[in-house]
Amino acid sequence: MTGARVHADPALATHLIAAQFPELHPVGLEYLGQGCDSVAWLVNGEWVFRFPQREDVERQLLLELRILPELIPGSPLPLPCYRFHGKPSADFPRHFAGYPLLPGIPALQLDPPRLPFDRWAPQLGHFLSWLHRFPAHRLAPLGVEQHDPDELIDEVQADALDDLAAVARVAPDRPMHQWRQYLSGRPPRLTHSGTAQMLIHGDLAAEHVLCDPERWEITGIIDWSEIGLGDPAVDFAGLYHWGGQPLVEQVLASYDGPIDPELRARANFLAACRGAADVAFGLEMKRPEYVAAGLRALDQCIELRA
């Protein structure tokens, strides 16, 4: 993490939007969510505005603003289409941006056993096939970076082992020895270097998949701040975390991208690490849905490999 943290509270966000985008006056603000990286506000019931809290997150947002216009025309699923590009000012030293609200709610808010994964899996398989085969050379001039698969695994493994203390506090009945043994073991590695050149979303977890709970349709893929060239297992890790092995296998049945022998093992390991991180994040931010999702991921991913 780099740069001092700055926070766009309701009064500041209202002031910034009204000052730079008078067409949105009067500004009606509704809180959408906050993570470690950004704060999101719904403006006038129509626009989602994201305010980065750190310098590195601002750079990620600026990358999204450059990349998404290249992806939107061919995407099988709706993506954010940014219309408002806020500039740094004396009041807020970061760029910020807004896009039309996509319909639906984050799938994180819904109970996975209720979800029609058999209906959604072909859509997700088609989407990931398109994304992972997108011609990366078109995006290189825009600043898309290479993500080193080994560095990522080492980083998330270390973080997960640190986060197990938080997991033990909230779930002392879980098999902590088994979980620690799995997370501290030798993680699977990518052996086919060419596979690491795929365009990936980088954080395809349930909170970034929008769905309509009445029509049971996927309505969008949001938050592209981790986009890069990397290991496609990173995107499948989000599916392991969300729906476990059954969802992954259903998606792979409709996927025509590269599948190397260790893809499932890497994705499963990354998902388990993400589970520990989500528990710690949920406790810190008082977000019980993250705690529940993290414990579910640890249960299903480590049981799978035990």
Side-chain angles (χ1 to χ4, degrees):
M1 297 183 181
T2 60
R5 185 181 295 272
V6 292
H7 178 70
D9 61 25
L12 178 56
T14 299
H15 166 72
L16 293 169
I17 294 168
Q20 297 198 28
F21 308 110
E23 63 270 38
L24 296 179
H25 183 79
V27 175
L29 215 62
E30 180 181 341
Y31 178 74
L32 283 181
Q34 177 181 354
C36 296
D37 298 336
S38 300
V39 179
W41 298 97
L42 179 62
V43 175
N44 298 344
E46 298 183 49
W47 308 94
V48 176
F49 271 78
R50 290 174 57 198
F51 290 83
Q53 298 189 93
R54 302 190 314 272
E55 182 181 352
D56 58 321
V57 181
E58 177 188 29
R59 291 196 297 270
Q60 293 169 341
L61 176 62
L62 291 173
L63 178 62
E64 282 189 68
L65 298 181
R66 297 193 299 270
I67 296 301
L68 285 176
E70 298 294 320
L71 300 182
I72 287 170
S75 176
L77 292 171
L79 311 180
C81 182
Y82 285 92
R83 303 281 180 84
F84 296 102
H85 296 196
K87 305 296 184 183
S89 65
D91 298 310
F92 187 76
R94 305 268 187 265
H95 290 82
F96 60 97
Y99 62 86
L101 175 69
L102 292 170
I105 63 173
L108 181 67
Q109 299 178 18
L110 301 172
D111 187 20
R114 296 179 52 224
L115 301 181
F117 284 141
D118 56 340
R119 177 176 173 181
W120 290 354
Q123 289 181 276
L124 292 167
H126 182 39
F127 172 76
L128 287 176
S129 297
W130 164 80
L131 180 65
H132 293 165
R133 292 195 178 279
F134 192 89
H137 67 273
R138 286 175 46 185
L139 304 180
L142 301 179
V144 174
E145 296 183 354
Q146 178 80 43
H147 295 178
D148 185 282
D150 288 342
E151 287 183 5
L152 175 64
I153 285 181
D154 291 341
E155 179 182 344
V156 299
Q157 181 181 35
D159 289 344
L161 291 170
D162 288 341
D163 291 334
L164 280 180
V167 177
R169 289 198 304 272
V170 74
D173 59 325
R174 292 305 209 278
M176 296 305 304
H177 174 74
Q178 178 187 351
W179 287 3
R180 181 172 294 279
Q181 187 176 37
Y182 174 76
L183 292 173
S184 61
R186 183 178 180 181
R189 299 289 181 176
L190 177 68
T191 57
H192 298 267
S193 59
T195 307
Q197 305 298 318
M198 303 296 106
L199 185 67
I200 60 173
H201 177 280
D203 194 8
L204 194 62
E207 65 264 34
H208 299 147
V209 179
L210 299 180
C211 60
D212 183 333
E214 295 182 359
R215 295 185 297 165
W216 293 114
E217 294 180 354
I218 295 178
T219 56
I221 306 293
I222 61 173
D223 195 343
W224 289 76
S225 59
E226 299 297 327
I227 190 172
L229 301 179
D231 181 0
V234 174
D235 287 341
F236 283 100
L239 303 182
Y240 267 111
H241 183 287
W242 182 18
Q245 186 177 24
L247 174 59
V248 171
E249 296 302 333
Q250 288 178 307
V251 172
L252 284 172
S254 300
Y255 177 71
D256 66 3
I259 304 176
D260 67 89
E262 292 296 313
L263 181 139
R264 290 173 174 84
R266 293 194 310 280
N268 186 83
F269 185 84
L270 290 168
C273 291
R274 169 66 183 267
D278 274 357
V279 172
F281 172 80
L283 290 173
E284 179 185 356
M285 303 298 294
K286 297 180 173 58
R287 299 285 298 274
E289 69 273 27
Y290 279 90
V291 175
L295 291 175
R296 185 177 62 247
L298 286 163
D299 279 333
Q300 59 195 12
C301 291
I302 297 181
E303 179 183 9
L304 175 65
R305 298 296 171 181

